[in-house]
Amino acid sequence: MISRGRWVLHLQKIAQKRMAFLFVYFPFRAKMLSPALTGKGEIMSDPKFTDLFVIGGGINGCGIARDAAGRGLSVTLAEQGDLAQATSSSSTKLFHGGLRYLEYFEFRLVREALREREVLLRAMPHISWPMRFVLPFDPEMRFDSDTPTSRILSLALPWMKGRRPAWLIRLGLFLYDHLGARKLLPGTATLDLRNSPEGAPLRDGFRRGWEYSDGWVEDSRLVALNARDAADRGATILTRTKVVEAQPVTGGWRIETEDPQGHRRTHHARLVVNAAGPWVSDVLSDRLGQQATAHGVRLVRGSHVVVRRLFDHDKAYFLQGQDGRIIFAIPYQEDFTLIGTTEAPHPDPDQRPVCTEAEQDYLLGFANRYFRRQLSAEDVVWTYSGVRPLYEDGASSATAATREYVLALEENDGAPMLNVFGGKITTYRRLAEQALARIATVLDVPRGDWTAGVPLAGGDFLVGGVDRLVQDLCADHPFLTGAWAKRLVRAYGTEARQILEGAQSAADLGRDFGATLTEREVLWLMEREFALTAEDVLWRRGKLGLRVTAAQAADLQIWMDARLRGQEPAAAE
């Protein structure tokens, strides 16, 4: 089993040591640039004020940077690790309204998210696509639930306590179909699970169910493409760059950053955006030197397991548990099934989240109540875990905590800052729009909202057009297998052609690192998507870490190190 396995941890240690002398800043362009650096501990100062300095390279930070750069603002973004290294690469990877949030009467949030699904699907049809979800119904199941809906049901119909009756589920699905402006996605349908492909993987006893629509997204690629688009529009993206201190000065902020070499640099900005995710409160108090506000976040660990494919169709499952929670079982990377998520308190954002044995057992036991094929720990090929910074609303549990977000603008006598609390991946674009609306109250913003309908890099084709792109790619490059071509299209969309340009054989793409990953593709990721380590490439610009060996991953790290040093990598033996 890989749990960002031992070999990944080994790669991290290697990368951390080598980063001490290998740090290079890669902008989006093909040409590799390195900033002028001073001696260790010395400070290089840039007296020029940018409009925004964004702290945090997750989806909210990169989304805000992209939106702001597209409006004509000057933007610098600093991320202490890799893009999407924390929460934004560890989600359940769904663009969804949040069906279960209806039980908490979160109608505004669900409506906003449902409307956003189709906006996002159109903007990135290579990394996001429609998906149908099967919801099996068990009339005998009892739920330990304390949602507003369950309390009302228990009072009005006390004999229904602990149940989600079929009519209530169907009502929720009706609302889910009609709260958003649904045009692309089909509505809910009733299933006879006794005589359907959707029922075949399930245990006996499930007779009836429904299927509804939501969307899948490759979360970490979403972040990288937002960062790239921001850079394409003039933003400066600094990865492996930690903000160590920020102080109000005349005209805005003086921000000091540090790279892995210990080189420090001073930046000036008119406004600071604190989009540090799980670290938002720590950045506010420790780096920005501000007093605690009325807002905060609740840190919740969400863990997932990946097993070999459980079913042969391309639909996902929405599964209800006796504890009142739900989990998903989702087709993943062609050959696997993703199962998750848990919700557990997490004490410290600096403590690396891992899927515990208890969480793994919980997820496997949950799935085993539904599927014929019974899972054990031996079936797990990978686990991952992330910390979600939910807005602290005083809810009694992580499950009940709101998924709403709060944007807190503090003017600070001429040194304004915007703090981002909470949020979910589906609403990142709307969050960015609203952040810019708040920013426009203190800065001159030259342009209005623009991101709706504007594709991310490689996404300039119609939803449902992947198969045609794959066919055309195979026709133009006959050495490609169908699976290889589909992986490239799913990752890079129409830009897959640029990666393959001029190649008549696999050998023309350079060194083969395994699992169809070639030198040409790795260079693309280093030069255009800010990748600096093998882990960046294998786990956050894609998921080829599931397929390569430890030796192949180590070879990739050595090769990338040589490229970063400006040396010609040694030929493969």
Side-chain angles (χ1 to χ4, degrees), residues 233-409:
R233 298 174 191 277
T236 298
I237 307 297
L238 303 172
T239 62
R240 269 82 182 191
T241 300
K242 185 175 183 177
V243 173
V244 293
E245 185 181 18
Q247 295 180 342
V249 296
T250 302
W253 289 88
R254 176 185 179 275
I255 306 108
E256 190 172 318
T257 61
E258 184 175 88
D259 67 29
Q261 288 178 298
H263 298 128
R264 292 198 173 192
R265 182 171 184 173
T266 299
H267 312 259
H268 293 83
R270 294 180 178 86
L271 184 145
V272 166
V273 177
N274 176 11
W279 291 270
V280 61
S281 296
D282 290 352
V283 167
L284 182 62
S285 59
D286 299 343
R287 315 286 171 75
L288 300 178
Q290 302 298 306
Q291 298 292 328
T293 70
H295 308 292
V297 292
R298 176 195 296 240
L299 301 182
V300 177
R301 186 177 65 255
S303 295
H304 301 74
V305 300
V306 175
V307 299
R308 293 289 174 186
R309 189 161 187 165
L310 273 174
F311 37 86
D312 294 329
H313 56 76
D314 61 357
K315 298 177 182 180
Y317 287 85
F318 177 110
L319 307 178
Q320 305 175 84
Q322 293 177 326
D323 57 358
R325 297 193 65 256
I326 64 99
I327 67 166
F328 296 98
I330 307 171
Y332 189 59
Q333 300 294 317
E334 302 294 334
D335 299 320
F336 306 96
T337 298
L338 171 65
I339 301 172
T341 179
T342 61
E343 290 176 318
H346 195 75
D348 183 351
D350 290 324
Q351 179 180 321
R352 181 175 173 270
V354 295
C355 179
T356 66
E357 184 176 344
E359 287 175 309
Q360 177 175 285
D361 291 344
Y362 171 83
L363 292 172
L364 296 177
F366 204 136
N368 285 341
R369 288 195 290 272
Y370 282 86
F371 292 107
R372 292 181 186 274
R373 180 181 151 198
Q374 297 293 284
L375 299 169
S376 67
E378 287 70 33
D379 295 300
V380 176
V381 298
W382 182 46
T383 69
Y384 69 89
S385 187
V387 178
R388 287 170 286 175
L390 304 182
Y391 179 68
E392 179 58 86
D393 63 349
S396 59
S397 68
T399 301
T402 184
R403 267 57 176 176
E404 287 276 14
Y405 53 84
V406 170
L407 304 173
L409 180 67

Side-chain angles (χ1 to χ4, degrees), residues 473-509:
L473 209 61
C474 287
D476 293 341
H477 302 278
F479 62 88
L480 291 175
T481 64
W484 186 357
K486 184 176 181 180
R487 183 185 71 77
L488 291 174
V489 170
R490 276 299 184 202
Y492 308 105
T494 56
E495 291 192 330
R497 285 188 170 279
Q498 296 180 42
I499 297 175
L500 297 172
E501 186 175 2
Q504 300 299 313
S505 68
D508 293 336
L509 299 176

